[in-house]
Amino acid sequence: MYPSLEGKVIVITGGATGLGKAMAERFGAEKAKVVINYFNEEQELQGIIETIENAGGSASAIQGDVTKEEDIKRMIAHAINTFGSLDVMINNAGIENEVPSEELTLEDWNKVISTNLTGQFLGCREALDYMLENKIKGSIINMSSVHQEIPWPHFVHYAASKGGVKLMTETLALEFAPHGIRVNCIAPGAIDTPINAEKFSDPELKKGVLELIPMGYIGKPEEIAACAVWLASTEASYVTGLTLYADGGMTQYPGFQAGKG
Ligand code: NAD
């Protein structure tokens, strides 16, 4: 547990499902005040809010589309109006879809880039503006992916967006370090969330993914939430510009396992 998170105000985009939900519930367990941005999952919210409140945290939900500047501004304003501040911004919302690159439409390219990269930039910018203005030594966490490093055929828009998240995170870390604002990202490997539901329901596809994971299992959302609370806490007070890989070893060249290569 991280006592420094008690009472802190956290905004999480895409917070009603998967990693966002796990992070919301974990910050709730740390007795933080959590603003859950959701896209179109109203039915999930009551359960998440109850879990957070039963654990001693506070929660409030707000609908919003991260690709829309005015919606991001509304999310931050909601946090300030409801809980009085903004200490941690988690830019987590993201999408992916599989398309061979020669068939990828401009529309699909733009949709992924505007959600995964531009949406995260807008979240960073609005949070940084508020933190600077109010002299808050806050923390920003961007949700990247192992595909900020590992090329991914048929997902060129996704890989490009996550590569962009890496350098955006590092650049902002450098720019705002003198103000005590830390900017980091988490790069999950394959985690059991709705984004992978279809793939993991096919035993052959799941087996193919498992072969890429040296630790031999699909990660749990709670294992990513554990990274987020550490990064947000004062235990990580000297950490900025980091990509925290949580991938069961996927980025360690699994093809070389067992003496191969
Ligand atoms: P998920 O599909 O459960 O979560 C994505 C969330 O983003 C959903 O709640 C969705 O409603 C929201 N969202 C999508 N478009 C939005 C928009 N325009 N505005 C606001 N919200 C929007 O999947 P997840 O695995 O929890 O994904 C969360 C993040 O983690 C994503 O950025 C994803 O790229 C990243 N990630 C996931 C994995 C994995 O294996 N699950 C691995 C690496 C990175």
Side-chain angles (χ1 to χ4, degrees):
M1 300 301 280
Y2 298 97
S4 66
L5 294 176
E6 185 168 348
K8 289 284 187 282
V9 181
I10 325 290
V11 172
I12 305 177
T13 66
T17 65
L19 303 184
K21 175 182 173 195
M23 290 189 287
E25 293 183 345
R26 178 62 198 269
F27 276 98
E30 301 286 347
K31 301 187 176 14
K33 298 171 178 170
V34 188
V35 170
I36 303 159
N37 154 247
Y38 66 98
F39 198 33
N40 53 14
E41 303 92 351
E42 282 91 343
Q43 67 289 354
E44 310 291 334
L45 293 169
Q46 199 45 42
I48 302 172
I49 290 173
E50 270 173 34
T51 302
I52 291 173
E53 290 179 346
N54 289 340
S58 311
S60 177
I62 181 163
Q63 196 281 332
D65 179 342
V66 296
T67 68
K68 297 193 174 138
E69 203 167 11
E70 62 276 17
D71 284 17
I72 300 266
K73 285 179 190 283
R74 260 196 315 110
M75 284 171 213
I76 307 278
H78 184 78
I80 296 158
N81 295 336
T82 311
F83 294 130
S85 186
L86 172 67
D87 301 294
V88 180
M89 178 75 195
I90 305 187
N91 295 302
N92 165 73
I95 53 172
E96 67 181 44
N97 68 320
E98 179 172 7
V99 191
S101 298
E102 75 279 10
E103 293 170 16
L104 183 64
T105 61
L106 179 59
E107 190 186 357
D108 262 0
W109 169 271
N110 283 339
K111 194 169 170 202
V112 168
I113 297 291
S114 64
T115 307
N116 297 9
L117 180 57
T118 312
Q120 292 208 12
F121 167 69
L122 292 171
C124 288
R125 189 193 68 190
E126 290 305 310
L128 287 164
D129 188 43
Y130 176 78
M131 288 172 185
L132 267 188
E133 174 108 17
N134 293 279
K135 299 194 168 27
I136 293 170
K137 293 185 191 309
S139 165
I140 296 178
I141 299 170
N142 297 323
M143 195 55 71
S144 186
S145 160
V146 289
H147 297 294
Q148 72 167 38
E149 179 66 29
I150 303 175
W152 202 14
H154 295 195
F155 292 84
V156 66
H157 43 350
Y158 184 83
S161 72
K162 298 299 187 180
V165 166
K166 172 184 188 282
L167 262 178
M168 178 181 76
T169 299
E170 292 169 359
T171 300
L172 295 175
L174 188 57
E175 191 169 338
F176 293 91
H179 301 280
I181 302 171
R182 300 182 298 109
V183 189
N184 294 289
C185 62
I186 299 173
I191 316 295
D192 192 9
T193 71
I195 218 169
N196 290 320
E198 212 181 308
K199 194 188 309 173
F200 294 164
S201 67
D202 178 326
E204 271 310 298
L205 291 179
K206 187 171 178 181
K207 185 166 165 273
V209 174
L210 282 168
E211 282 166 6
L212 299 172
I213 307 173
M215 289 184 77
Y217 71 95
I218 305 289
K220 297 185 277 294
E222 294 74 22
E223 293 179 292
I224 303 304
C227 297
V229 284
W230 175 73
L231 273 178
S233 78
T234 52
E235 294 294 305
S237 55
Y238 206 46
V239 177
T240 195
L242 175 76
T243 294
L244 178 45
Y245 285 97
D247 65 356
M250 191 183 255
T251 42
Q252 305 307 317
Y253 301 96
F256 282 78
Q257 262 186 312
K260 282 185 220 148

